[in-house]
Amino acid sequence: MRRMAEEVQPRTEQSSWIPNWLPSWCPTSPSQLKDAEEKMLKTVQRPYSRQHIRISNSNYLWTIAFSTHPHPNSPSPPPPPFQPSTPLVLLHGFGGGVGLWAQNLDALSGCGPVYALDLLGFGRSSRPQFSADPVEAEEQFVAALEEWREKVGLGEMVLLGHNLGGYISAAYTLKYPNRVRRLLLVEPWGFPARPENPDHYSIPVWIRAIGAVMSPFNPLAGLRLAGPLGPMLVQTIRSDFKQKYSSVFDDNTVSDYIYHLNAQTPSGETAFRNMTVPYGWAKRPMLERIDGVRADVPISFIYGSRSSIDSNSGYAVKKSRPDVEVIVIRGAGHYVFADQPEDFNQTVLRILAGTEGRGTGDETEQ
């Protein structure tokens, strides 16, 4: 059975803190998001549990979890050379959700327990009101992750975060170093400070396209204002995602999922806006704080060679911490785990195994 645990259905709450401007004709709902996610995860072969993990203030984090037990109907790969005891926790980026790891979950869970969760305010997790203060908003993300860890019962974890998830992973590690065995930052957002003359072409095209006309509002407000044209807007602006997942989907499964992820009531999106200055630079750049990560917590950066985000931040950290590993995966863009899933999976497994390259501080190109 794929569903190893009962899914807890949260009660539907009407958000009174957001003006009721969200078009009623916007073709989305939590149930449609659930269906879209299930379609994304149909390709996953290994068994997993899924449930809402309750935390404080009536909030919850949607979680899927993989154990090391083999699926009786799935092919039996050769046993891995090592079995890590520390769970791997995957944190998606801005506008993402657990379903975007569809091409990674089988491989990564083959060597140990894996958890993937929707960040507070995103996906199928609760969407509370975040503080307008960037320090407090960041703390809400971090506190939610810590409460989740306690509820799930993890002593330590390997944190792997992409984009915004990388920023939150680093912030969490700064506050709770005893809970992080290793930190993997995949194309992390929010590390460099905004330059005096910022090059807006370093910002992903899809964010620029919507943000250019909707800058006074949430980054994806235009998607919701598009109403019934929203799904087509995503298919047009994010047409690249169809190619990224072409080995597993030949239809609009991925774009439909992305649409339903981001057409819901904005919450984490609002927090992100409050944590940024124009064109997506962080108000509290992580490069100014990352040196505070305890020296015995290894850090690895993973970048795509074709990404609009360069690897300078990784090398900046490496200057003060020579043991930091910077890895560039050839042919991958910002969504490196989807662009080159096999190389990404093998890279992560190699890091987890502690084999070649660990502790050398050398750049590795895959």
Side-chain angles (χ1 to χ4, degrees):
M1 290 292 293
R2 175 164 295 177
R3 295 172 179 84
M4 297 166 58
E6 179 183 0
E7 180 179 342
V8 179
Q9 294 290 350
R11 62 187 177 91
T12 301
E13 298 179 354
Q14 189 70 28
S15 298
S16 60
W17 55 276
I18 288 182
N20 193 23
W21 58 267
L22 194 63
S24 60
W25 40 274
C26 203
T28 190
S29 67
S31 63
Q32 287 173 290
L33 172 56
K34 174 186 174 183
D35 292 342
E37 180 193 274
E38 288 181 347
K39 288 181 67 177
M40 287 289 297
L41 296 176
K42 276 185 178 179
T43 61
V44 178
Q45 298 299 309
R46 290 185 177 274
Y48 60 88
S49 64
R50 57 185 197 171
Q51 66 181 117
H52 288 98
I53 303 298
R54 301 287 183 175
I55 57 177
S56 62
N57 299 319
S58 300
N59 289 317
Y60 46 85
L61 297 184
W62 177 242
T63 305
I64 61 175
F66 294 76
S67 68
T68 57
H69 302 297
H71 193 292
N73 297 323
S74 63
S76 300
F82 95 117
Q83 288 285 343
S85 59
T86 306
L88 173 65
V89 176
L90 307 176
L91 302 183
H92 63 77
F94 174 77
V98 298
L100 293 182
W101 303 108
Q103 298 182 95
N104 317 109
L105 294 170
D106 279 329
L108 298 182
S109 62
C111 288
V114 173
Y115 295 82
L117 60 143
D118 285 343
L119 296 171
L120 185 67
F122 290 98
R124 297 180 63 192
S125 292
S126 58
R127 293 173 177 251
Q129 181 176 8
F130 278 82
S131 171
D133 180 82
V135 176
E136 294 177 359
E138 177 185 310
E139 174 55 27
Q140 284 178 265
F141 282 120
V142 170
L145 181 57
E146 172 60 7
E147 287 188 58
W148 174 89
R149 181 201 62 77
E150 291 179 344
K151 287 295 182 69
V152 173
L154 304 183
E156 284 186 315
M157 52 190 172
V158 174
L159 275 181
L160 185 156
H162 172 251
N163 187 266
L164 175 61
Y167 183 91
I168 294 171
S169 295
Y172 178 90
T173 304
L174 284 167
K175 187 165 185 179
Y176 299 103
N178 292 334
R179 300 303 183 185
V180 180
R181 178 68 65 87
R182 181 153 199 153
L183 182 60
L184 281 71
L185 302 171
V186 183
E187 293 269 326
W189 167 82
F191 271 62
R194 183 187 183 188
E196 292 184 6
N197 298 302
D199 177 9
H200 75 282
Y201 289 103
S202 66
I203 308 302
V205 173
W206 73 289
I207 293 180
R208 293 206 314 268
I210 296 178
V213 294
M214 301 301 296
S215 56
F217 307 99
N218 282 326
L220 298 175
L223 183 65
R224 292 178 289 275
L225 287 173
L229 298 179
M232 184 181 299
L233 182 63
V234 174
Q235 291 172 24
T236 302
I237 294 179
R238 296 317 318 256
S239 59
D240 58 311
F241 266 90
K242 192 166 186 176
Q243 176 61 35
K244 297 177 193 298
Y245 291 84
S246 60
S247 64
V248 287
F249 303 112
D250 59 3
D251 56 12
N252 292 321
T253 294
V254 183
S255 61
D256 287 347
Y257 177 57
I258 292 173
Y259 171 74
H260 290 297
L261 281 171
N262 294 293
Q264 310 292 317
T265 302
S267 170
E269 176 187 341
T270 304
F272 178 80
R273 184 196 67 189
N274 293 336
M275 293 164 64
T276 65
V277 292
Y279 286 115
W281 300 93
K283 287 183 178 179
R284 304 184 69 228
M286 190 56 66
L287 272 183
E288 299 175 0
R289 299 181 280 154
I290 192 69
D291 284 349
V293 171
R294 213 167 61 186
D296 62 346
V297 179
I299 302 175
S300 296
F301 286 84
I302 302 177
Y303 294 98
S305 66
R306 299 172 57 193
S307 175
S308 58
I309 296 179
D310 61 42
S311 56
N312 289 346
S313 293
Y315 290 113
V317 178
K318 176 181 166 60
K319 285 183 179 179
S320 58
R321 281 192 54 166
D323 62 309
V324 166
E325 187 176 19
V326 180
I327 301 159
V328 179
I329 295 183
R330 288 182 299 221
H334 180 58
Y335 290 84
V336 55
F337 57 89
D339 290 322
Q340 298 292 338
E342 291 186 9
D343 288 348
F344 175 82
N345 295 339
Q346 290 304 311
T347 296
V348 173
L349 291 174
R350 192 264 303 165
I351 293 173
L352 295 178
T355 55
E356 58 192 53
R358 178 177 175 179
T360 64
D362 295 333
E363 175 187 355
T364 305
E365 185 166 329
Q366 303 294 327

mmCIF file of all heavy atoms in Angstrom, residues 46 67-70 77-87 107-113 181 349 352-353:
data_model
loop_
_atom_site.group_PDB
_atom_site.id
_atom_site.type_symbol
_atom_site.label_atom_id
_atom_site.label_comp_id
_atom_site.label_asym_id
_atom_site.label_seq_id
_atom_site.Cartn_x
_atom_site.Cartn_y
_atom_site.Cartn_z
ATOM 1 N N ARG A 46 8.272 3.666 -4.738
ATOM 2 C CA ARG A 46 8.482 3.218 -3.358
ATOM 3 C C ARG A 46 7.302 3.621 -2.469
ATOM 4 O O ARG A 46 6.660 4.641 -2.708
ATOM 5 C CB ARG A 46 9.785 3.805 -2.797
ATOM 6 C CG ARG A 46 11.030 3.216 -3.438
ATOM 7 C CD ARG A 46 12.294 3.735 -2.785
ATOM 8 N NE ARG A 46 13.473 3.109 -3.370
ATOM 9 C CZ ARG A 46 13.981 1.956 -2.971
ATOM 10 N NH1 ARG A 46 13.412 1.307 -1.955
ATOM 11 N NH2 ARG A 46 15.033 1.455 -3.559
ATOM 12 N N SER A 67 10.273 5.292 4.214
ATOM 13 C CA SER A 67 11.130 4.472 5.068
ATOM 14 C C SER A 67 12.090 3.701 4.174
ATOM 15 O O SER A 67 12.135 3.903 2.960
ATOM 16 C CB SER A 67 10.291 3.507 5.904
ATOM 17 O OG SER A 67 9.697 2.529 5.067
ATOM 18 N N THR A 68 12.851 2.782 4.758
ATOM 19 C CA THR A 68 13.814 2.003 3.969
ATOM 20 C C THR A 68 13.248 0.659 3.560
ATOM 21 O O THR A 68 13.954 -0.147 2.961
ATOM 22 C CB THR A 68 15.097 1.770 4.786
ATOM 23 O OG1 THR A 68 14.751 1.111 6.019
ATOM 24 C CG2 THR A 68 15.785 3.083 5.078
ATOM 25 N N HIS A 69 11.982 0.383 3.871
ATOM 26 C CA HIS A 69 11.418 -0.916 3.534
ATOM 27 C C HIS A 69 11.080 -0.982 2.055
ATOM 28 O O HIS A 69 10.429 -0.086 1.513
ATOM 29 C CB HIS A 69 10.153 -1.179 4.353
ATOM 30 C CG HIS A 69 10.398 -1.130 5.822
ATOM 31 N ND1 HIS A 69 11.235 -2.008 6.455
ATOM 32 C CD2 HIS A 69 9.938 -0.274 6.782
ATOM 33 C CE1 HIS A 69 11.272 -1.725 7.753
ATOM 34 N NE2 HIS A 69 10.498 -0.679 7.967
ATOM 35 N N PRO A 70 11.492 -2.034 1.335
ATOM 36 C CA PRO A 70 11.239 -2.121 -0.098
ATOM 37 C C PRO A 70 9.775 -2.341 -0.415
ATOM 38 O O PRO A 70 9.032 -2.934 0.356
ATOM 39 C CB PRO A 70 12.077 -3.338 -0.525
ATOM 40 C CG PRO A 70 12.166 -4.182 0.716
ATOM 41 C CD PRO A 70 12.217 -3.209 1.865
ATOM 42 N N PRO A 77 16.539 -3.052 -6.412
ATOM 43 C CA PRO A 77 17.895 -2.647 -6.797
ATOM 44 C C PRO A 77 18.899 -3.286 -5.858
ATOM 45 O O PRO A 77 18.550 -3.745 -4.764
ATOM 46 C CB PRO A 77 17.861 -1.126 -6.607
ATOM 47 C CG PRO A 77 16.838 -0.912 -5.536
ATOM 48 C CD PRO A 77 15.805 -1.986 -5.732
ATOM 49 N N PRO A 78 20.161 -3.355 -6.284
ATOM 50 C CA PRO A 78 21.176 -3.892 -5.381
ATOM 51 C C PRO A 78 21.260 -3.059 -4.118
ATOM 52 O O PRO A 78 21.028 -1.846 -4.157
ATOM 53 C CB PRO A 78 22.474 -3.791 -6.209
ATOM 54 C CG PRO A 78 22.185 -2.746 -7.244
ATOM 55 C CD PRO A 78 20.727 -2.878 -7.550
ATOM 56 N N PRO A 79 21.548 -3.666 -2.980
ATOM 57 C CA PRO A 79 21.610 -2.904 -1.737
ATOM 58 C C PRO A 79 22.662 -1.817 -1.817
ATOM 59 O O PRO A 79 23.732 -2.017 -2.386
ATOM 60 C CB PRO A 79 21.983 -3.966 -0.687
ATOM 61 C CG PRO A 79 22.578 -5.087 -1.462
ATOM 62 C CD PRO A 79 21.915 -5.075 -2.804
ATOM 63 N N PRO A 80 22.361 -0.622 -1.312
ATOM 64 C CA PRO A 80 23.324 0.486 -1.364
ATOM 65 C C PRO A 80 24.523 0.197 -0.487
ATOM 66 O O PRO A 80 24.447 -0.592 0.459
ATOM 67 C CB PRO A 80 22.507 1.670 -0.820
ATOM 68 C CG PRO A 80 21.441 1.042 0.017
ATOM 69 C CD PRO A 80 21.117 -0.259 -0.632
ATOM 70 N N PRO A 81 25.651 0.835 -0.798
ATOM 71 C CA PRO A 81 26.865 0.580 -0.030
ATOM 72 C C PRO A 81 26.795 1.075 1.400
ATOM 73 O O PRO A 81 27.588 0.691 2.229
ATOM 74 C CB PRO A 81 27.944 1.338 -0.816
ATOM 75 C CG PRO A 81 27.183 2.405 -1.551
ATOM 76 C CD PRO A 81 25.855 1.794 -1.873
ATOM 77 N N PHE A 82 25.839 1.957 1.695
ATOM 78 C CA PHE A 82 25.723 2.426 3.073
ATOM 79 C C PHE A 82 24.265 2.743 3.369
ATOM 80 O O PHE A 82 23.469 3.014 2.488
ATOM 81 C CB PHE A 82 26.607 3.664 3.285
ATOM 82 C CG PHE A 82 25.902 4.980 3.128
ATOM 83 C CD1 PHE A 82 25.795 5.859 4.190
ATOM 84 C CD2 PHE A 82 25.332 5.358 1.909
ATOM 85 C CE1 PHE A 82 25.155 7.078 4.045
ATOM 86 C CE2 PHE A 82 24.693 6.571 1.766
ATOM 87 C CZ PHE A 82 24.614 7.424 2.835
ATOM 88 N N GLN A 83 23.913 2.628 4.624
ATOM 89 C CA GLN A 83 22.555 2.912 5.063
ATOM 90 C C GLN A 83 22.602 4.018 6.119
ATOM 91 O O GLN A 83 22.907 3.767 7.276
ATOM 92 C CB GLN A 83 21.916 1.643 5.675
ATOM 93 C CG GLN A 83 21.560 0.579 4.644
ATOM 94 C CD GLN A 83 20.331 0.948 3.845
ATOM 95 O OE1 GLN A 83 19.563 1.817 4.228
ATOM 96 N NE2 GLN A 83 20.143 0.298 2.712
ATOM 97 N N PRO A 84 22.360 5.260 5.723
ATOM 98 C CA PRO A 84 22.439 6.361 6.684
ATOM 99 C C PRO A 84 21.330 6.262 7.717
ATOM 100 O O PRO A 84 20.216 5.872 7.409
ATOM 101 C CB PRO A 84 22.271 7.596 5.805
ATOM 102 C CG PRO A 84 21.472 7.119 4.637
ATOM 103 C CD PRO A 84 21.909 5.708 4.399
ATOM 104 N N SER A 85 21.659 6.604 8.922
ATOM 105 C CA SER A 85 20.641 6.596 9.974
ATOM 106 C C SER A 85 19.979 7.950 10.119
ATOM 107 O O SER A 85 18.936 8.068 10.746
ATOM 108 C CB SER A 85 21.280 6.194 11.314
ATOM 109 O OG SER A 85 22.317 7.099 11.653
ATOM 110 N N THR A 86 20.593 8.968 9.554
ATOM 111 C CA THR A 86 20.040 10.320 9.651
ATOM 112 C C THR A 86 19.096 10.582 8.493
ATOM 113 O O THR A 86 19.487 10.481 7.336
ATOM 114 C CB THR A 86 21.160 11.371 9.634
ATOM 115 O OG1 THR A 86 22.119 11.066 10.649
ATOM 116 C CG2 THR A 86 20.596 12.755 9.883
ATOM 117 N N PRO A 87 17.832 10.926 8.766
ATOM 118 C CA PRO A 87 16.877 11.170 7.686
ATOM 119 C C PRO A 87 17.257 12.385 6.845
ATOM 120 O O PRO A 87 17.823 13.359 7.338
ATOM 121 C CB PRO A 87 15.554 11.415 8.434
ATOM 122 C CG PRO A 87 15.751 10.816 9.784
ATOM 123 C CD PRO A 87 17.201 10.998 10.096
ATOM 124 N N ALA A 107 14.986 7.389 -5.920
ATOM 125 C CA ALA A 107 16.432 7.209 -5.801
ATOM 126 C C ALA A 107 16.939 7.598 -4.419
ATOM 127 O O ALA A 107 17.718 6.864 -3.797
ATOM 128 C CB ALA A 107 17.152 8.020 -6.877
ATOM 129 N N LEU A 108 16.494 8.747 -3.917
ATOM 130 C CA LEU A 108 17.003 9.225 -2.632
ATOM 131 C C LEU A 108 16.524 8.365 -1.477
ATOM 132 O O LEU A 108 17.250 8.171 -0.491
ATOM 133 C CB LEU A 108 16.598 10.686 -2.418
ATOM 134 C CG LEU A 108 17.145 11.688 -3.436
ATOM 135 C CD1 LEU A 108 16.706 13.107 -3.083
ATOM 136 C CD2 LEU A 108 18.664 11.611 -3.528
ATOM 137 N N SER A 109 15.315 7.837 -1.565
ATOM 138 C CA SER A 109 14.795 7.021 -0.462
ATOM 139 C C SER A 109 15.318 5.602 -0.513
ATOM 140 O O SER A 109 15.072 4.815 0.406
ATOM 141 C CB SER A 109 13.265 7.003 -0.493
ATOM 142 O OG SER A 109 12.780 6.411 -1.690
ATOM 143 N N GLY A 110 16.064 5.257 -1.575
ATOM 144 C CA GLY A 110 16.625 3.916 -1.658
ATOM 145 C C GLY A 110 17.742 3.671 -0.676
ATOM 146 O O GLY A 110 18.123 2.519 -0.441
ATOM 147 N N CYS A 111 18.296 4.733 -0.101
ATOM 148 C CA CYS A 111 19.423 4.586 0.816
ATOM 149 C C CYS A 111 19.117 5.007 2.241
ATOM 150 O O CYS A 111 20.010 5.018 3.084
ATOM 151 C CB CYS A 111 20.612 5.404 0.300
ATOM 152 S SG CYS A 111 21.385 4.705 -1.152
ATOM 153 N N GLY A 112 17.885 5.373 2.523
ATOM 154 C CA GLY A 112 17.561 5.778 3.882
ATOM 155 C C GLY A 112 16.257 6.548 3.937
ATOM 156 O O GLY A 112 15.654 6.837 2.902
ATOM 157 N N PRO A 113 15.813 6.883 5.126
ATOM 158 C CA PRO A 113 14.543 7.595 5.277
ATOM 159 C C PRO A 113 14.595 8.992 4.672
ATOM 160 O O PRO A 113 15.594 9.702 4.799
ATOM 161 C CB PRO A 113 14.339 7.645 6.793
ATOM 162 C CG PRO A 113 15.702 7.455 7.381
ATOM 163 C CD PRO A 113 16.448 6.589 6.428
ATOM 164 N N ARG A 181 22.681 17.431 10.769
ATOM 165 C CA ARG A 181 23.905 16.657 10.542
ATOM 166 C C ARG A 181 24.688 17.209 9.356
ATOM 167 O O ARG A 181 25.923 17.228 9.371
ATOM 168 C CB ARG A 181 23.536 15.194 10.285
ATOM 169 C CG ARG A 181 24.730 14.277 9.979
ATOM 170 C CD ARG A 181 25.642 14.076 11.169
ATOM 171 N NE ARG A 181 24.975 13.377 12.239
ATOM 172 C CZ ARG A 181 24.920 12.036 12.342
ATOM 173 N NH1 ARG A 181 25.463 11.274 11.402
ATOM 174 N NH2 ARG A 181 24.335 11.481 13.376
ATOM 175 N N LEU A 349 23.371 11.398 -3.203
ATOM 176 C CA LEU A 349 23.703 10.120 -2.567
ATOM 177 C C LEU A 349 25.192 10.035 -2.272
ATOM 178 O O LEU A 349 25.599 9.495 -1.228
ATOM 179 C CB LEU A 349 23.267 8.959 -3.461
ATOM 180 C CG LEU A 349 21.754 8.772 -3.614
ATOM 181 C CD1 LEU A 349 21.452 7.680 -4.627
ATOM 182 C CD2 LEU A 349 21.107 8.446 -2.264
ATOM 183 N N LEU A 352 25.813 12.124 0.789
ATOM 184 C CA LEU A 352 25.324 11.440 1.979
ATOM 185 C C LEU A 352 26.243 10.291 2.373
ATOM 186 O O LEU A 352 26.427 9.997 3.552
ATOM 187 C CB LEU A 352 23.906 10.910 1.741
ATOM 188 C CG LEU A 352 22.817 11.966 1.522
ATOM 189 C CD1 LEU A 352 21.473 11.295 1.256
ATOM 190 C CD2 LEU A 352 22.709 12.903 2.721
ATOM 191 N N ALA A 353 26.785 9.625 1.406
ATOM 192 C CA ALA A 353 27.678 8.501 1.694
ATOM 193 C C ALA A 353 29.031 8.967 2.213
ATOM 194 O O ALA A 353 29.798 8.168 2.755
ATOM 195 C CB ALA A 353 27.868 7.662 0.437
#
